[in-house]
Amino acid sequence: MRLDKLEIYLNQLLNIAHFRDYCPNGLQVEGRSEVHHLVSGVTASLDFIQAAIEAGADALLVHHGYFWRGEDPCLVGRKHRRIARLIAHDVGLLSYHLPLDAHPELGNNAQLAHRLGLVETGRFGDQNIAMHGTLSPDMQNVKGLRMNIERALGREPLVIGEDSKTVTRIAWCTGGAQDYFDEAIRLGVDAYITGEISERTVHDARESGVAFIAAGHHATERYGVQALGEHIAQKFGITHQFIDIDSPV
C-alpha cells in the first residue's frame, strides 16, 4: 500500500475536511513510500515509536499526534527526539483526532458504545462528536454500569454518583470531554461517561443528580484506532498491529 494513497483514503473515510480541529489530521511525518506493516496506538510518544520500530512498522497510525494549536512550534526537546526517531528510521506518522472520535462505525465513541452495550439515539456537543442513547437492561443502575465499564476497559472508573441510581438514558464522549457535561445534563440523561474529570465537575454531578463517570482518557480511546487499523489491513491486504503504551490518565 502506498503511503500517499493510504493518506488519501483515510482522509476521505474520516471526512477530515468537515472538522475544525486543534491539530492537523492526516500525514504529519512522511516516511517510506510503501506500507506493508501498519502499527497503531493511542499517542505518538517516544516509547510507542520505539516499540513500533522494533515491531517492524513502515507507518504509524495514532489518535494523538503532533503540532497542537498553541504549542511551541520549534523542533526541540521531546518533539525533536520523537520526530528525529521517525525520520531516522523512515517511518511515517498518520494522525486523526476529532474525525476519529466522530466516525459512526470506526470512531472512538462508536467503538466504546459497542464494547459497553450502549445504543446511540442521537448526537450532541461541538461538531456533534458526543453521543447519547440507552443501555442494556443488565445495567439499569450506576453500579451495573460501573461494573460493566471496569470489565470492558480493564480499569476501575472514577464515579461521582450513587450506585443505586437508576440509569435509563446515558451520554458519552471519549477522552477529555468533561466540558460537555452541562449539555448532557440538559438532554435529561441519568449518567455521563468520558475519560477525564475536573474538580468543578464533581460538584456539578452532585448538584445535578446526574452520575459522572471518568473511565480514563487513554482507556476510552484505545478502540477507534484499533478498529481503523484493522479496517485498513483487511481492505488493502497489509498487516496491522496495535501497541498499547498504557497511561493511568
Side-chain angles (χ1 to χ4, degrees):
M1 180 69 187
R2 287 186 56 85
L3 180 62
D4 56 353
K5 300 295 185 184
L6 178 58
E7 183 196 16
I8 290 171
Y9 177 79
L10 288 171
N11 290 353
Q12 293 175 343
L13 175 68
L14 298 176
N15 193 19
I16 67 170
H18 176 75
F19 293 89
R20 304 180 309 276
D21 213 334
Y22 348 113
C23 60
N25 288 288
L27 185 64
Q28 292 189 340
V29 179
E30 189 172 357
R32 60 190 69 130
S33 60
E34 293 289 333
V35 178
H36 301 282
H37 186 49
L38 179 68
V39 172
S40 66
V42 177
T43 300
S45 66
L46 189 60
D47 285 344
F48 170 73
I49 292 169
Q50 187 57 44
I53 289 169
E54 292 173 1
D58 298 305
L60 311 183
L61 175 66
V62 300
H63 181 50
H64 300 140
Y66 307 142
F67 312 113
W68 299 92
R69 183 189 304 159
E71 74 172 22
D72 185 346
C74 298
L75 295 182
V76 298
R78 292 185 303 278
K79 185 186 292 186
H80 172 264
R81 288 191 292 273
R82 293 169 177 177
I83 294 176
R85 190 69 56 87
L86 290 170
I87 293 173
H89 292 271
D90 201 20
V91 174
L93 176 69
L94 293 148
S95 178
Y96 294 92
H97 187 233
L98 295 183
L100 183 57
D101 286 324
H103 193 274
E105 296 177 7
L106 303 173
N108 283 320
N109 287 318
Q111 289 294 312
L112 182 66
H114 174 70
R115 280 162 176 77
L116 297 184
L118 311 178
V119 179
E120 178 194 352
T121 57
R123 296 250 180 152
F124 71 103
D126 183 42
Q127 302 178 78
N128 280 326
I129 289 173
M131 295 180 173
H132 61 88
T134 60
L135 62 170
S136 62
D138 61 331
M139 296 184 291
Q140 289 298 295
N141 57 32
V142 170
K143 180 179 180 180
L145 182 58
R146 172 176 55 79
M147 293 175 65
N148 184 52
I149 291 171
E150 186 171 355
R151 285 193 300 267
L153 303 189
R155 57 172 287 165
E156 183 179 359
L158 190 160
V159 179
I160 308 300
E162 297 297 326
D163 270 357
S164 60
K165 177 180 172 58
T166 299
V167 179
T168 56
R169 295 188 63 199
I170 190 165
W172 65 96
C173 189
T174 65
Q178 57 266 54
D179 288 343
Y180 292 163
F181 188 42
D182 279 343
E183 191 170 347
I185 293 170
R186 290 194 293 271
L187 287 170
V189 301
D190 304 300
Y192 178 64
I193 303 170
T194 187
E196 298 182 20
I197 188 168
S198 299
E199 191 275 342
R200 58 179 167 76
T201 314
V202 173
H203 306 290
D204 292 340
R206 289 171 177 169
E207 294 173 23
S208 67
V210 177
F212 188 100
I213 302 173
H217 192 136
H218 177 90
T220 58
E221 296 198 320
R222 288 183 300 211
Y223 306 109
V225 73
Q226 290 186 63
L228 184 59
E230 285 301 310
H231 170 81
I232 292 300
Q234 293 172 16
K235 184 172 182 64
F236 296 107
I238 64 175
T239 58
H240 166 249
Q241 178 182 357
F242 174 73
I243 294 180
D244 191 22
I245 305 298
D246 194 28
S247 167
V249 176

